[in-house]
Amino acid sequence: MAMVCLSDFEAYAKKYLPKIAWDFFAAGADDCSTRDENILAYKRIHFRPRMLRDVSMMDIRTKLLGTEISFPVGIAPTGFHQLAWPDGEKSTARAARAMNTCYIASTYSTCTLEEISAAAPGGFQWFQLYIHRNRAVSQSLVQRAEALGFQGLVLTADLPYTGKRRDDIRNGFRLPPHMKLKNLEGAFEVCKMSLLDPSVTWNDIYWLRSLTHLPIIIKGILTKEDAELAVRHGVQGIIVSNHGGRQLDGGPATIDALVEVVEAVQGRVEIYLDGGIRKGSDVLKALALGARCVFIGRPALWGLAYKGEEGLQDVLRILQDEFRLSMALAGCASVSEIGRHLVQFSKL
Amino acid sequence: MAMVCLSDFEAYAKKYLPKIAWDFFAAGADDCSTRDENILAYKRIHFRPRMLRDVSMMDIRTKLLGTEISFPVGIAPTGFHQLAWPDGEKSTARAARAMNTCYIASTYSTCTLEEISAAAPGGFQWFQLYIHRNRAVSQSLVQRAEALGFQGLVLTADLPYTGKRRDDIRNGFRLPPHMKLKNLEGAFEVCKMSLLDPSVTWNDIYWLRSLTHLPIIIKGILTKEDAELAVRHGVQGIIVSNHGGRQLDGGPATIDALVEVVEAVQGRVEIYLDGGIRKGSDVLKALALGARCVFIGRPALWGLAYKGEEGLQDVLRILQDEFRLSMALAGCASVSEIGRHLVQFSKL
Amino acid sequence: MAMVCLSDFEAYAKKYLPKIAWDFFAAGADDCSTRDENILAYKRIHFRPRMLRDVSMMDIRTKLLGTEISFPVGIAPTGFHQLAWPDGEKSTARAARAMNTCYIASTYSTCTLEEISAAAPGGFQWFQLYIHRNRAVSQSLVQRAEALGFQGLVLTADLPYTGKRRDDIRNGFRLPPHMKLKNLEGAFEVCKMSLLDPSVTWNDIYWLRSLTHLPIIIKGILTKEDAELAVRHGVQGIIVSNHGGRQLDGGPATIDALVEVVEAVQGRVEIYLDGGIRKGSDVLKALALGARCVFIGRPALWGLAYKGEEGLQDVLRILQDEFRLSMALAGCASVSEIGRHLVQFSKL
Amino acid sequence: MAMVCLSDFEAYAKKYLPKIAWDFFAAGADDCSTRDENILAYKRIHFRPRMLRDVSMMDIRTKLLGTEISFPVGIAPTGFHQLAWPDGEKSTARAARAMNTCYIASTYSTCTLEEISAAAPGGFQWFQLYIHRNRAVSQSLVQRAEALGFQGLVLTADLPYTGKRRDDIRNGFRLPPHMKLKNLEGAFEVCKMSLLDPSVTWNDIYWLRSLTHLPIIIKGILTKEDAELAVRHGVQGIIVSNHGGRQLDGGPATIDALVEVVEAVQGRVEIYLDGGIRKGSDVLKALALGARCVFIGRPALWGLAYKGEEGLQDVLRILQDEFRLSMALAGCASVSEIGRHLVQFSKL
């Protein structure tokens, strides 16, 4: 089986993962409209490619908050990587470092932050945080992450409660007994997400700020109003995200929401995006609309499911090659040449 | 079979109801375009969800003309509940009371108003009225309903004649011999809807007003012109409805018509909606666009078909849970926080 | 098999007609885009139905150039009715008269004008004309029609050459030997449409005018420019038509073209429409957009194929009942109450 | 099997060509969105056909840079014709000459320029050029072409690198050993397209200009900005093209891009188009939107695959007949009467 594009990895994962794991990774909330919109929305954006520009020397590097990555695609925070590959998040960390990009490790990892950090020393890693009712748990996680050398703190804002994912309910999804939410062991029983705090508000950003010197990136913003609030509360970055369509079904595709967020922020902080990235040209569209970088969620899991660290590297390398080629064919030799002029929204 | 969402109840009902009953409940007029549009239209409305708002204490109660219900979903008037469950409307009444919401009993019930009322003493019930050529019939119904403690009178405005439902014609649909339109027994032969009066006009609202002290809610309004007339003729509420797509095929989806009705009414009377509600997020969209409450028709019948009173409670509980979760994920802790800002119409 | 709606007659005809005849009647040009658009376009037009209007006395009659018909649906000119039913156009004429509506007999009838006229004495008939290279042929036809009591002359303007209908080419379509274009016998060999004159221009309207006192209706107009020319050249009526999608593929649906024609004509002459009428509500939409009457082509042939004169009456009666019901449900008691306010174009 | 329209040739080629060859010709980049959009976009353009215009004498000839062709359809440059028919580009050249139209021979022909020229002496031929890293190779090709009597030089601007065509990668596509890129023999190893120069810029137009007196036509322009640059750099013609959707997936359909290019150029140079032409009416739409001529790529290969020179003539003749008929049915007797007024973009 030739692995030519990301859909090949998807097909592989669907075929070889246990159904309950596939369903968990694939799940969207309710009718999965938003999950699917994340992908469809890219088809309504057309390039305006420019010709006869010297694209012999391609530079696809960019910087996230000052740290260089090899191309503008990182690994979004997703949970339970051991469901996809025995080594779990350790493999993810190694692949991200090998490809010189950023990995956002999830609170719901099946490896400890210490294991993740140790698996890829010197790797560029951010830590994704949910805020728990017991603030001491969150405080401890933040301080462990900072001590271990994680370089950013990603606060997920869109999960006061878990979205309704029908297949998980039908399957009675829970982690197999030999897997643990290791970062939370001792704090509370596994998989009780209801211990998350639904009373979190913007003021808690100040509390987080008081705990750490790490830059704070807020994930899950979809409106200009919230983008403005994020900037005012002093975050360093915004990830436009709808949690892969797993939380509120009926929200906008992230690529559509990106437009209003970028317009509101006016360059005051960096803006990233996740959701629906399946091809290098999707990355190019997101950058043209103002994202500095995108993050992949499910495709990373498909790569892990295929061959662990190596499989995820394959996925990243394909995206990298496709992104470089799309840039060249659109007439851009470096990411600094990518801009709003490069795309138009289809009238259809 | 896990009953996770309303579609599960639909599938159950389709499988286990006699075809003739399923077809009758499912029927739309002509090509069923409007019936199907009622559902599709929700997919063109996107949320603009807000993050980091304290949603730890959720209050999903609302009031209909001053009476509190546990959440903004009531039971729309539909006929012939015994086709779905032996106890018919008595089960419906009990389920509505158990869930603390409003039940609009239909003129075409297979139980008497007295039975319905007695089945759920203290329940919140409105009575739905068709105006008959023999006005004495209608007058008697209104006065019985008021005497029994029904708290509102819902006048259906969109059925001067019955819509053309092809499957009912093919099936030669009629009630089985052991079922009766009990509220009309003695008045005329069963199922002769042609005894309805197609000459009813707005002035008949004044006639109804002279018969009863109950608030009058008009059902079947789809335009701003008629909304204005309704307000001017002194109704207390408007149900934006196209009769589930069973009357004029080719009319607008109710969620689309809601917008112009809300704009015309400017808060002078309460506005409700039925048609196409299949998920808690549909309820949230309707409220965001100005409805105070929605009513479910077919889903209530599916619940009855599944397990009578208990099945209908299941349906309502699922909607309630989904609505509460959607509200929280959209950043609203109480229905008073829901507003027009929460949604946008897709450009597609 | 219950014949409930026009699709039932279509299914019957498709099943029982010889494939070559079905294909000929069903054919559209090229990809059949315009043929199919004629139908799809109705789905993008939504009613704005009005409630509580006295619709107890329905008057669905209208007048075509002063002659009353029982409802605003006539029979469009189509050729070769013997392919559908042995008695051919004689049955058509009888059914039209029985239903008190207008029948436009085609030049390409398989019965003579004399037979058609004699089959339904006193019937309301127009004669459809193609202009031949040999003008004497056309002149003779016009004068025969007038002498026989046909009340209007319909000049088809959209067939300088025959459209490319792929199935007819594949089938090698030609009339069976026992059928004749009887009106043209002696004039030239059967089915050589190439004897039509592609040099016809607007000035030929004056020539026609000089031949007859009959009102001239021009068929095949799709633009405001041509509508203006038609009025200036003194026609009495315009049929907005794309020849059932059989001529230029890629033209507009007739219901869409109707809007600009109506706007250009500003009531100076009567405007009719054919193409895509499948339900009574389609008729109502066309009238709301300014047509005085519509004509059915293929559905009439399906009726003939089903049971000849009787089958066509069934088709007309169904349309009549559906039209009356749609009017009532939209709040109109007579055709004079139908207007532009009754419909809106879907934003989709 | 009757060959009635171009789809028939497509079906034939798909059935009888080796899969690897079919896949190569059919391939689009990535998801093939742009390839498919090229075709779909025509369906969103509607004619505004005019009636009663004298179309008895049809003149469908046009001129490309002063040279008359029999109708406004030429042969686009595509590679590897021997994959479709043993005689390869020689057959193509003969068919084009027989139909009196223009053939753009590709750099990647499997016959030499000399063979192509000799196959159709006196034929109207342009030569398509890629610029190689080794400029001497390109210079030599240009000068050979001019010496052989090719009448125009078509510079392909959209292939600094080859697009990602998944099926070709899966198939491991390469030319069979007995076929050669004969024009490049000696210059470098077969099929190493990476020898193309991705550093080409607009200034290289001046270099080309210095090599030859032939008119220069630039192929691959999709934006008004590049159209303006092309005119300023002195080209004689522009081919609006997205390389049949084989380069950057996600670009606009060529018929959509044509509009902005035509508007920018304002008649200063001739504009042509390729991509998605499947019917004579597509040609008419392109001319109505400002193209002087269109070129066919894949349909020409299907014709070759069917019967070589004769098959390609069949394809061209069908297009010619369809184009003539479409013109007549739209009311145009000569190409000079075709204009923007003839079409409108569907609101859908």
Side-chain angles (χ1 to χ4, degrees):
Chain A
M1 187 178 189
M3 306 309 270
V4 174
C5 59
L6 268 55
S7 309
D8 295 332
F9 293 83
E10 182 176 19
Y12 183 95
K14 185 165 189 179
K15 188 167 173 189
Y16 290 104
L17 280 181
K19 182 181 184 311
I20 197 171
W22 166 261
D23 281 352
F24 173 75
F25 291 144
D30 292 344
D31 289 335
C32 303
S33 305
T34 296
R35 178 194 70 179
D36 297 342
E37 267 293 291
N38 273 351
I39 293 172
L40 289 171
Y42 286 100
K43 301 199 182 301
R44 297 191 292 262
I45 299 170
H46 284 166
F47 288 115
R48 304 186 68 254
R50 304 296 304 275
M51 303 298 144
L52 297 190
R53 295 155 76 109
D54 180 348
V55 289
S56 55
M57 304 291 288
M58 297 296 299
D59 183 355
I60 62 174
R61 294 169 301 166
T62 192
K63 285 184 178 168
L64 299 196
L65 300 177
T67 302
E68 186 177 297
I69 55 177
S70 67
F71 78 120
V73 177
I75 310 293
T78 52
F80 309 162
H81 289 197
Q82 284 189 357
L83 284 176
W85 188 255
D87 263 4
E89 289 79 5
K90 288 184 281 186
S91 298
T92 314
R94 287 187 204 110
R97 189 184 56 173
M99 291 298 294
N100 190 20
T101 191
C102 177
Y103 165 37
I104 310 179
S106 166
T107 291
Y108 290 123
S109 295
T110 43
C111 302
T112 62
L113 293 184
E114 288 73 12
E115 290 170 321
I116 293 169
S117 184
F124 179 18
Q125 299 175 338
W126 289 350
F127 172 63
Q128 176 271 334
L129 183 77
Y130 291 112
I131 298 184
H132 295 82
R133 291 182 197 265
N134 180 345
R135 296 294 168 101
V137 172
S138 299
Q139 178 169 353
S140 152
L141 283 168
V142 170
Q143 290 167 346
R144 275 166 67 195
E146 184 164 7
L148 286 164
F150 283 82
Q151 293 176 245
L153 190 64
V154 175
L155 176 68
T156 296
D158 60 5
L159 203 135
Y161 303 96
T162 304
K164 181 173 181 176
R165 303 158 198 171
R166 295 175 184 171
D167 284 346
D168 287 351
I169 300 172
R170 292 185 212 286
N171 294 335
F173 174 76
R174 58 194 316 282
L175 277 188
H178 60 285
M179 295 185 204
K180 306 277 178 231
L181 295 184
K182 287 197 176 170
N183 288 306
L184 299 170
E185 276 189 303
F188 47 72
E189 194 187 322
V190 165
C191 216
K192 284 253 170 114
M193 293 197 189
S194 58
L195 295 189
L196 297 188
D197 187 350
S199 75
V200 174
T201 65
W202 288 100
N203 284 331
D204 291 293
I205 305 276
Y206 299 132
W207 170 71
L208 273 186
R209 175 65 31 261
S210 73
L211 300 181
T212 178
H213 296 100
L214 291 178
I216 296 174
I217 299 99
I218 187 161
K219 172 169 174 283
I221 301 303
L222 293 167
T223 61
K224 61 183 175 211
E225 294 90 338
D226 279 348
E228 181 62 35
L229 286 170
V231 173
R232 288 206 202 149
H233 285 80
V235 305
Q236 275 69 48
I238 291 172
I239 305 183
V240 175
S241 171
N242 50 33
H243 217 110
R246 297 162 79 83
Q247 288 295 102
L248 179 63
D249 197 36
T254 49
I255 192 70
D256 288 333
L258 177 66
V259 176
E260 82 173 68
V261 169
V262 165
E263 198 168 43
V265 167
Q266 294 279 343
R268 290 175 288 170
V269 303
E270 295 191 357
I271 299 172
Y272 322 113
L273 168 148
D274 68 21
I277 298 289
R278 296 295 180 268
K279 297 184 296 181
S281 60
D282 297 336
V283 183
L284 183 55
K285 288 174 183 176
L287 266 66
L289 289 168
R292 171 166 284 263
C293 172
V294 302
F295 293 91
I296 55 169
R298 294 184 185 91
L301 295 161
W302 305 334
L304 283 180
Y306 177 56
K307 278 193 190 173
E309 173 187 346
E310 190 184 334
L312 176 47
Q313 281 193 55
D314 289 347
V315 162
L316 286 166
R317 202 172 293 112
I318 285 174
L319 270 180
Q320 196 178 63
D321 289 345
E322 289 181 349
F323 173 65
R324 186 191 296 106
L325 179 57
S326 294
M327 269 182 62
L329 296 182
C332 301
S334 78
V335 294
S336 64
E337 295 174 27
I338 300 169
R340 185 65 183 76
H341 53 86
L342 210 62
V343 291
Q344 61 190 340
F345 282 82
S346 162
K347 275 158 280 179
L348 256 235
Chain B
M1 186 178 191
M3 306 309 270
V4 173
C5 60
L6 269 55
S7 310
D8 295 331
F9 294 82
E10 182 176 20
Y12 183 96
K14 185 165 188 178
K15 188 165 174 190
Y16 290 104
L17 281 181
K19 181 181 185 312
I20 198 171
W22 166 261
D23 281 354
F24 172 75
F25 291 143
D30 291 346
D31 290 334
C32 303
S33 306
T34 296
R35 179 194 68 179
D36 297 342
E37 268 292 290
N38 273 350
I39 292 173
L40 289 171
Y42 286 99
K43 301 199 182 302
R44 297 191 292 262
I45 299 171
H46 284 166
F47 288 114
R48 305 186 68 253
R50 303 297 304 277
M51 303 299 145
L52 297 190
R53 294 155 77 108
D54 180 348
V55 289
S56 55
M57 303 291 289
M58 297 296 299
D59 182 355
I60 62 174
R61 293 168 302 165
T62 191
K63 285 183 178 171
L64 299 196
L65 300 176
T67 302
E68 186 178 296
I69 52 178
S70 67
F71 78 120
V73 175
I75 311 293
T78 52
F80 310 162
H81 290 197
Q82 285 188 355
L83 284 175
W85 188 255
D87 264 4
E89 289 80 4
K90 288 184 283 185
S91 298
T92 314
R94 286 187 204 111
R97 190 186 53 175
M99 291 298 294
N100 191 20
T101 191
C102 176
Y103 166 36
I104 310 178
S106 166
T107 291
Y108 290 124
S109 294
T110 42
C111 302
T112 62
L113 291 184
E114 288 73 13
E115 290 170 321
I116 293 170
S117 184
F124 179 19
Q125 299 176 338
W126 288 351
F127 173 63
Q128 176 271 335
L129 184 77
Y130 290 112
I131 297 183
H132 294 82
R133 292 183 197 265
N134 181 346
R135 297 292 168 103
V137 172
S138 299
Q139 178 170 353
S140 153
L141 283 168
V142 169
Q143 291 168 345
R144 275 166 67 196
E146 184 165 6
L148 287 165
F150 284 81
Q151 292 175 246
L153 189 64
V154 175
L155 176 67
T156 296
D158 59 5
L159 203 136
Y161 304 97
T162 304
K164 181 173 181 177
R165 303 158 199 171
R166 295 175 184 170
D167 284 345
D168 286 351
I169 301 174
R170 292 185 212 284
N171 294 336
F173 174 78
R174 57 193 316 283
L175 277 187
H178 62 285
M179 295 186 203
K180 305 277 179 233
L181 295 183
K182 286 195 173 170
N183 289 307
L184 301 169
E185 277 188 304
F188 48 73
E189 195 186 322
V190 165
C191 216
K192 282 252 172 114
M193 293 198 191
S194 58
L195 295 188
L196 298 188
D197 188 349
S199 77
V200 173
T201 66
W202 289 101
N203 285 330
D204 291 292
I205 304 277
Y206 299 133
W207 170 72
L208 272 186
R209 175 64 33 258
S210 74
L211 299 181
T212 178
H213 296 99
L214 292 179
I216 296 174
I217 299 100
I218 189 162
K219 173 170 174 280
I221 300 305
L222 292 167
T223 61
K224 61 184 176 211
E225 295 90 337
D226 280 347
E228 181 63 34
L229 285 170
V231 172
R232 287 206 203 151
H233 284 80
V235 305
Q236 275 69 47
I238 291 173
I239 304 181
V240 175
S241 171
N242 51 33
H243 216 109
R246 297 162 79 84
Q247 288 295 101
L248 180 63
D249 197 36
T254 50
I255 192 70
D256 288 333
L258 177 66
V259 176
E260 82 174 68
V261 169
V262 165
E263 197 168 44
V265 167
Q266 295 279 343
R268 290 174 288 169
V269 302
E270 294 190 357
I271 299 172
Y272 322 113
L273 169 148
D274 68 21
I277 298 289
R278 297 293 180 268
K279 297 184 296 181
S281 60
D282 297 337
V283 183
L284 182 56
K285 288 174 182 175
L287 265 65
L289 290 167
R292 172 166 283 263
C293 171
V294 303
F295 293 91
I296 55 169
R298 293 182 185 94
L301 295 161
W302 305 334
L304 284 180
Y306 177 56
K307 279 194 189 171
E309 174 188 344
E310 190 185 336
L312 177 46
Q313 280 192 53
D314 289 347
V315 162
L316 287 167
R317 203 171 293 114
I318 285 173
L319 270 179
Q320 196 178 62
D321 290 343
E322 289 180 350
F323 173 65
R324 185 189 298 108
L325 179 57
S326 295
M327 268 182 62
L329 297 182
C332 300
S334 78
V335 294
S336 64
E337 296 174 26
I338 301 169
R340 185 66 183 74
H341 54 85
L342 210 62
V343 291
Q344 61 190 341
F345 282 83
S346 161
K347 277 158 277 180
L348 256 234
Chain C
M1 186 180 188
M3 305 309 270
V4 172
C5 60
L6 269 55
S7 309
D8 295 331
F9 293 84
E10 182 176 20
Y12 182 96
K14 185 164 189 180
K15 186 167 175 189
Y16 290 105
L17 280 181
K19 180 181 186 311
I20 197 171
W22 166 261
D23 281 353
F24 173 76
F25 291 143
D30 292 344
D31 289 334
C32 304
S33 306
T34 295
R35 178 194 69 178
D36 297 342
E37 267 292 290
N38 274 350
I39 292 173
L40 290 172
Y42 286 100
K43 301 200 183 299
R44 296 191 293 262
I45 299 170
H46 285 166
F47 288 115
R48 306 185 68 253
R50 303 296 304 275
M51 302 299 144
L52 298 190
R53 295 155 75 109
D54 180 349
V55 290
S56 56
M57 305 290 290
M58 297 295 301
D59 183 355
I60 62 174
R61 294 167 302 166
T62 192
K63 285 183 178 171
L64 298 196
L65 300 177
T67 301
E68 186 178 296
I69 55 178
S70 66
F71 77 121
V73 176
I75 311 293
T78 52
F80 310 162
H81 290 198
Q82 285 189 356
L83 284 176
W85 189 254
D87 264 5
E89 290 80 3
K90 287 184 284 186
S91 298
T92 314
R94 285 186 205 111
R97 189 184 56 173
M99 292 297 293
N100 191 22
T101 191
C102 177
Y103 166 36
I104 310 179
S106 166
T107 291
Y108 289 123
S109 295
T110 43
C111 301
T112 63
L113 292 184
E114 289 72 12
E115 289 170 322
I116 292 169
S117 183
F124 178 19
Q125 298 176 338
W126 288 351
F127 173 63
Q128 176 271 336
L129 184 77
Y130 290 113
I131 298 183
H132 295 82
R133 293 182 196 266
N134 180 346
R135 297 293 169 102
V137 172
S138 299
Q139 177 169 354
S140 152
L141 282 168
V142 169
Q143 291 169 345
R144 275 164 69 196
E146 183 164 8
L148 285 164
F150 284 82
Q151 293 175 244
L153 191 63
V154 175
L155 176 66
T156 296
D158 60 5
L159 203 138
Y161 304 97
T162 304
K164 180 172 182 176
R165 302 158 199 172
R166 295 174 184 170
D167 284 346
D168 286 352
I169 301 172
R170 292 185 212 284
N171 293 336
F173 174 77
R174 57 192 318 283
L175 277 187
H178 61 284
M179 295 185 203
K180 304 277 179 232
L181 294 184
K182 285 196 174 170
N183 289 306
L184 300 170
E185 278 188 304
F188 47 73
E189 194 186 323
V190 165
C191 216
K192 285 256 171 111
M193 293 197 190
S194 58
L195 294 188
L196 298 187
D197 187 349
S199 76
V200 174
T201 66
W202 290 100
N203 284 331
D204 291 290
I205 304 277
Y206 299 132
W207 170 72
L208 273 185
R209 175 59 43 252
S210 75
L211 299 180
T212 177
H213 296 101
L214 291 179
I216 295 173
I217 299 98
I218 189 161
K219 174 172 173 281
I221 300 304
L222 293 167
T223 60
K224 62 185 175 208
E225 294 90 336
D226 279 349
E228 181 63 35
L229 286 169
V231 172
R232 287 204 203 152
H233 284 81
V235 304
Q236 275 69 48
I238 291 172
I239 304 182
V240 175
S241 171
N242 51 32
H243 218 109
R246 298 163 77 84
Q247 289 294 102
L248 179 63
D249 197 36
T254 49
I255 192 69
D256 288 333
L258 177 66
V259 176
E260 81 173 70
V261 169
V262 165
E263 197 168 43
V265 167
Q266 295 279 340
R268 290 175 287 171
V269 303
E270 294 189 356
I271 299 173
Y272 321 114
L273 168 147
D274 68 21
I277 298 288
R278 296 295 180 268
K279 297 184 297 180
S281 60
D282 297 336
V283 183
L284 182 56
K285 287 174 183 176
L287 265 67
L289 290 168
R292 171 167 284 264
C293 171
V294 303
F295 293 91
I296 54 169
R298 294 182 185 94
L301 295 161
W302 305 334
L304 283 180
Y306 175 58
K307 279 194 188 169
E309 174 188 345
E310 190 186 335
L312 176 47
Q313 280 192 54
D314 289 347
V315 162
L316 287 166
R317 202 173 293 114
I318 284 173
L319 270 180
Q320 197 178 63
D321 290 344
E322 289 181 348
F323 173 66
R324 186 191 296 108
L325 179 58
S326 295
M327 269 182 64
L329 297 181
C332 300
S334 79
V335 294
S336 64
E337 296 174 25
I338 301 169
R340 186 64 182 75
H341 54 85
L342 211 60
V343 290
Q344 60 190 340
F345 282 83
S346 162
K347 278 157 276 178
L348 256 235
Chain D
M1 187 178 188
M3 306 308 270
V4 173
C5 59
L6 268 56
S7 309
D8 294 332
F9 293 83
E10 181 177 19
Y12 182 96
K14 184 165 189 179
K15 187 168 174 186
Y16 290 104
L17 280 180
K19 181 182 184 312
I20 198 171
W22 166 260
D23 281 353
F24 173 75
F25 291 144
D30 291 344
D31 289 334
C32 302
S33 305
T34 296
R35 178 194 69 179
D36 297 342
E37 267 293 291
N38 273 352
I39 292 173
L40 289 171
Y42 286 100
K43 299 199 183 300
R44 296 191 292 262
I45 299 170
H46 285 166
F47 288 115
R48 304 186 69 253
R50 304 295 305 274
M51 302 299 144
L52 298 190
R53 295 155 75 109
D54 180 348
V55 290
S56 56
M57 305 291 289
M58 297 296 300
D59 183 354
I60 62 173
R61 295 169 300 168
T62 192
K63 285 183 177 169
L64 299 196
L65 300 177
T67 301
E68 186 178 298
I69 55 177
S70 67
F71 78 119
V73 177
I75 311 292
T78 52
F80 310 162
H81 289 197
Q82 284 188 357
L83 284 176
W85 189 255
D87 264 4
E89 289 80 3
K90 288 184 283 187
S91 298
T92 315
R94 287 187 204 109
R97 189 184 55 173
M99 291 298 294
N100 191 21
T101 192
C102 176
Y103 167 36
I104 310 179
S106 165
T107 291
Y108 289 123
S109 294
T110 42
C111 301
T112 62
L113 292 185
E114 288 73 11
E115 289 170 321
I116 292 170
S117 183
F124 179 18
Q125 298 175 338
W126 289 350
F127 173 63
Q128 176 272 333
L129 183 77
Y130 291 112
I131 297 183
H132 295 82
R133 292 182 196 265
N134 180 346
R135 296 293 169 100
V137 172
S138 299
Q139 177 169 353
S140 152
L141 283 168
V142 170
Q143 290 169 345
R144 275 165 68 196
E146 183 165 8
L148 286 164
F150 283 82
Q151 293 176 245
L153 190 64
V154 175
L155 175 67
T156 296
D158 59 5
L159 203 136
Y161 303 97
T162 303
K164 179 172 182 176
R165 302 157 199 171
R166 295 175 185 171
D167 284 345
D168 286 352
I169 300 173
R170 292 184 212 284
N171 294 336
F173 174 77
R174 57 193 318 283
L175 277 187
H178 61 284
M179 295 185 203
K180 305 275 179 235
L181 294 185
K182 286 196 174 170
N183 288 306
L184 299 170
E185 278 189 302
F188 46 71
E189 194 186 322
V190 165
C191 217
K192 284 254 171 113
M193 292 197 190
S194 57
L195 295 188
L196 297 188
D197 187 349
S199 76
V200 173
T201 66
W202 289 101
N203 284 332
D204 292 291
I205 304 277
Y206 299 133
W207 169 71
L208 273 186
R209 175 62 36 258
S210 75
L211 299 181
T212 177
H213 296 100
L214 291 178
I216 295 173
I217 300 99
I218 188 162
K219 174 170 173 282
I221 300 304
L222 293 167
T223 60
K224 61 186 177 209
E225 294 90 338
D226 279 348
E228 181 63 36
L229 286 169
V231 173
R232 287 205 202 149
H233 285 81
V235 304
Q236 274 70 48
I238 290 172
I239 304 182
V240 175
S241 171
N242 52 32
H243 217 110
R246 298 162 77 84
Q247 289 294 101
L248 179 63
D249 197 36
T254 49
I255 192 71
D256 288 333
L258 177 67
V259 175
E260 82 173 70
V261 170
V262 164
E263 198 169 41
V265 167
Q266 294 279 344
R268 289 175 287 170
V269 304
E270 295 190 355
I271 299 172
Y272 321 113
L273 168 147
D274 68 21
I277 298 288
R278 296 294 179 268
K279 298 184 295 181
S281 59
D282 297 335
V283 183
L284 183 55
K285 288 174 182 174
L287 265 67
L289 289 168
R292 171 166 284 263
C293 172
V294 302
F295 293 91
I296 55 170
R298 294 184 185 92
L301 295 161
W302 305 334
L304 283 180
Y306 176 57
K307 279 193 189 172
E309 173 188 347
E310 191 184 335
L312 176 47
Q313 280 193 56
D314 289 347
V315 162
L316 287 166
R317 202 173 293 112
I318 285 174
L319 270 180
Q320 195 178 64
D321 290 345
E322 288 181 349
F323 173 65
R324 186 191 296 108
L325 180 57
S326 295
M327 268 182 64
L329 296 182
C332 301
S334 79
V335 293
S336 65
E337 296 174 26
I338 301 169
R340 184 65 182 75
H341 53 85
L342 211 62
V343 291
Q344 61 189 341
F345 282 83
S346 162
K347 277 157 279 180
L348 255 235

